[in-house]
Amino acid sequence: MAEKLALVGIGKIARDQHIPAIAGNPDWQLEAAVSRHAGVDGIDHFQTIDELLEKRPDITTVSLAIPPQPRFEYAAKALKAGKHVMLEKPPGQSLAECYALEALARQHGVTLFATWHSRYADSVPALKAFLAERTLKRLKITWKEDVRRWHPGQEWIWEPGGMGVFDPGINALSILTEVLPYPVHLTGATLEFPANRATPIAAGLTFADPVGAEMSADFDWRQEGPQTWDIDVETDRGAAKLSLGGEKLEIDGEPVIQGTNHEYANLYVRMADLVKSGTSDVDLSPMIHVCDAFSLGRRVITDPFEF
């Protein structure tokens, strides 16, 4: 029998990704939506999480597709009500919030899934296997996109807790922490803040690699035209390039995998498996790199930004 699910936040990411992924998975039945401004045809609609929890106690799972700033309050209420909770990335606006939610899930015996959708791209497992058998020499992340295209008019990304360019950049960091056979740590960062904004529009990161590889990342939200989501690696036995955010993989210049975008479908498969097994999945390693970037980063003021 399908689990009854409520989707909180009916914005761009919900309509583009969550709703189609839920509809295509027989393990889930979308029963309700929570949003102040929008609904989904054919299901119950509530203005608040409290109203949902009061009027639909039969719903077992809550998926949160809202900005990170209010997410802790919504997730905590759902967990305390005995609901399984699925968190859009990033899982919170701070590490402390995420650790608190993890503790609540254990206390109430429910599943918590901190999702990293880019890890579920088609070519990520193959790059992980490639690196597991080689010695890394260099790794370069280039993650550049147009904020006006992907976050049109969304002011929350520029507010404290919104993370700015790390909202997409954390996708690259989630792949990095998945494919490397060992952990790395940040050694430096340059963060470019528009003069009128509280979060960065661009960032350059450097990492310490335990085997001495050169490792860096370049994030930018000002790229127009073609979008760039690439990870280039050089090893002692060949080179590889992950592109299109993890859909495509080339090894030594030759295409190996040309996948498609069904990352969110894979997330809901994973969530169903976690609920069935009574376990949680809360890996915060990508968030640690973001927090370290804000701690270690050198702040540079750039031109004001307006949508």
Side-chain angles (χ1 to χ4, degrees), residues 93-295:
Q93 63 178 345
S94 74
L95 281 171
E97 286 186 351
C98 298
Y99 288 126
L101 292 178
E102 190 175 18
L104 276 175
R106 287 195 300 268
Q107 178 183 347
H108 292 276
V110 292
T111 290
L112 179 65
F113 183 22
T115 69
W116 302 108
H117 65 83
S118 290
R119 287 183 173 178
Y120 290 80
D122 285 349
S123 295
V124 171
L127 179 60
K128 183 176 183 177
F130 177 85
L131 292 174
E133 299 175 345
R134 291 163 174 81
T135 300
L136 184 64
K137 299 297 184 182
R138 187 184 73 89
L139 184 147
K140 172 66 175 177
I141 297 172
T142 307
W143 224 256
K144 298 182 178 183
E145 60 182 56
D146 184 355
V147 64
R148 292 183 175 91
R149 175 176 173 184
W150 300 102
H151 292 277
Q154 296 180 10
E155 293 289 344
W156 62 264
I157 56 174
W158 300 113
E159 298 297 328
M163 297 193 181
V165 75
F166 285 101
D167 180 80
I170 206 168
N171 295 332
L173 297 174
S174 74
I175 296 175
L176 177 74
T177 51
E178 173 68 16
V179 300
L180 289 179
Y182 45 71
V184 296
H185 68 271
L186 199 76
T187 56
T190 299
L191 309 180
E192 297 184 36
F193 285 75
N196 60 337
R197 301 293 181 174
T199 58
I201 197 168
L205 312 179
T206 56
F207 300 86
D209 180 276
V211 300
E214 176 187 341
M215 191 174 298
S216 63
D218 186 11
F219 304 151
D220 202 314
W221 244 352
R222 297 166 295 195
Q223 177 150 309
E224 300 178 356
Q227 309 288 275
T228 303
W229 303 294
D230 296 346
I231 300 179
D232 291 279
V233 301
E234 297 176 7
T235 75
D236 61 334
R237 291 190 290 122
K241 182 183 186 70
L242 193 76
S243 58
L244 300 178
E247 289 184 25
K248 183 178 180 180
L249 180 65
E250 299 174 30
I251 295 179
D252 294 328
E254 295 296 324
V256 175
I257 298 174
Q258 178 61 70
T260 56
N261 184 355
H262 46 252
E263 298 166 12
Y264 278 81
N266 292 337
L267 288 181
Y268 279 94
V269 170
R270 174 64 171 158
M271 183 62 178
D273 290 342
L274 290 171
V275 170
K276 290 173 184 176
S277 63
T279 55
S280 291
D281 183 349
V282 184
D283 177 15
L284 300 178
S285 54
M287 277 278 288
I288 290 173
H289 289 314
V290 174
C291 293
D292 286 353
F294 279 100
S295 176

Side-chain angles (χ1 to χ4, degrees), residues 22-75:
I22 296 165
N25 189 321
D27 287 324
W28 300 107
Q29 179 63 44
L30 183 59
E31 293 276 332
V34 177
S35 174
R36 290 174 296 174
H37 307 296
V40 179
D41 291 342
I43 65 174
D44 288 343
H45 175 250
F46 302 102
Q47 293 287 322
T48 68
I49 185 73
D50 297 296
E51 187 182 9
L52 166 73
L53 296 173
E54 177 186 355
K55 295 184 177 179
R56 289 299 306 268
D58 58 313
I59 286 176
T60 63
T61 303
V62 174
S63 181
L64 298 178
I66 55 177
Q69 292 95 331
R71 198 174 297 154
F72 176 82
E73 179 183 358
Y74 282 69

